[in-house]
């Protein structure tokens, strides 16, 4: 699946200028049964903190490289080299484990398993993107799934919600796909809604 959808084919004369860029990242995603397991562990936090900005379960992911806002024209050239890269990496055994927070605002669940392979995949993804001439924010990889954000001014909810995940240990699952994801939809006070642009199988020859 190497061709971008119409939304990434480039701006036309009747499309507003804002669509000439897109916000994208590369990620792994847990399978549905692993997400359901984590969602079950989160039920007490869902009930106790309904005003948190909870991410949709279908949007949970492990970010490998956040490219930020880039021109839509730079996306199609990334696809062939990323497809080749995915074919060179084998699926990874991972699991979700525990929870925590960033800056008392962002609630997350941690990731365990084949972390050496995960870091190697992330390094190769980032190198491939840079080799394609795309510059992006250099952030250290901290494998996690972002689950929710506290409202501005609320400096306790995320930490309290994280405590409900202290003993959580999910079952092992296999990450089989590398996803190129866009997050231009749903901006505003509510959760961001992601869309998958394309997906490549790990370890699948191209």
């Amino acid at each position: 699946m190497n061709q971008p959808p119409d939304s990434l084919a480039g701006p036309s004369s009747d499309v507003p200028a804002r669509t000439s860029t897109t916000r994208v990242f590369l990620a792994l995603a847990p399978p549905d049964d692993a997400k359901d397991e984590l969602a079950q562990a989160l039920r007490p936090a869902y009930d106790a903190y309904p005003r948190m900005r909870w991410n949709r379960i279908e949007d949970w992911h492990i970010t490998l490289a956040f490219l930020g806002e880039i021109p839509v024209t730079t996306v199609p050239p990334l696809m062939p080299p990323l497809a080749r890269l995915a074919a060179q990496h084998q699926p990874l055994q991972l699991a979700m484990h525990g929870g925590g927070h960033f800056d008392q605002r962002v609630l997350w669940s941690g990731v365990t398993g084949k972390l050496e392979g995960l870091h190697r995949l992330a390094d190769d993804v980032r190198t491939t993107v840079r080799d394609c001439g795309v510059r992006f924010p250099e952030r250290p990889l901290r494998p996690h799934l972002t689950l929710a954000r506290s409202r501005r001014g609320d400096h306790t909810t995320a930490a309290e919600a994280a405590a409900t995940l202290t003993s959580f240990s999910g079952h092992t699952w296999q990450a089989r796909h590398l996803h190129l994801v866009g997050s231009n939809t749903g901006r505003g006070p509510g959760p961001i809604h992601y869309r998958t642009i394309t997906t490549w199988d790990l370890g699948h020859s191209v």
Side-chain angles (χ1 to χ4, degrees):
M1 184 176 178
N2 293 326
Q3 295 301 317
D6 292 342
S7 61
L8 289 179
S12 62
S13 58
D14 59 348
V15 177
R18 63 181 175 81
T19 62
S20 63
T21 63
T22 185
R23 182 176 296 180
V24 298
F25 58 89
L26 290 134
L28 305 177
D32 289 344
D33 58 343
K35 290 188 288 188
D36 290 342
E37 186 178 35
L38 177 55
Q40 183 66 30
L42 280 169
R43 284 188 179 275
Y46 284 144
D47 293 339
Y49 309 107
R51 294 194 68 256
M52 289 191 76
R53 297 169 56 191
W54 291 97
N55 286 7
R56 302 188 309 168
I57 294 173
E58 57 265 40
D59 289 337
W60 287 350
H61 61 270
I62 303 167
T63 300
L64 302 181
F66 177 73
L67 308 190
E69 197 87 18
I70 62 175
V72 294
T73 54
T74 65
V75 176
L78 290 173
M79 293 186 177
L82 286 171
R84 291 191 293 269
L85 169 66
Q88 296 166 4
H89 282 262
Q90 294 303 308
L92 296 168
Q93 299 289 332
L94 302 173
M96 276 90 84
H97 179 79
H101 60 90
F102 297 133
D103 300 325
Q104 296 185 309
R105 287 202 62 204
V106 179
L107 173 67
W108 52 263
S109 179
V111 177
T112 61
K114 299 295 184 179
L115 296 185
E116 181 178 348
L118 179 62
H119 280 269
R120 185 162 55 249
L121 174 60
D123 287 344
D124 288 351
V125 163
R126 296 177 184 203
T127 297
T128 297
V129 172
R130 283 194 295 267
D131 287 347
C132 289
V134 177
R135 296 294 173 258
F136 55 93
E138 293 288 350
R139 300 173 179 173
L141 180 67
R142 300 177 64 178
H144 69 278
L145 284 80
T146 297
L147 306 176
R149 290 172 172 79
S150 297
R151 303 285 178 178
R152 291 191 179 278
D154 182 351
H155 301 296
T156 60
T157 302
E160 293 172 357
T164 68
L165 290 175
T166 300
S167 61
F168 173 71
S169 183
H171 74 274
T172 299
W173 47 274
Q174 196 169 57
R176 296 177 176 271
H177 311 287
L178 174 65
H179 302 277
L180 178 64
V181 185
S183 61
N184 267 28
T185 59
R187 291 183 185 175
I192 295 173
H193 293 173
Y194 302 107
R195 71 191 188 283
T196 299
I197 297 169
T198 194
T199 296
W200 302 282
D201 295 338
L202 295 176
H204 182 74
S205 60
V206 294

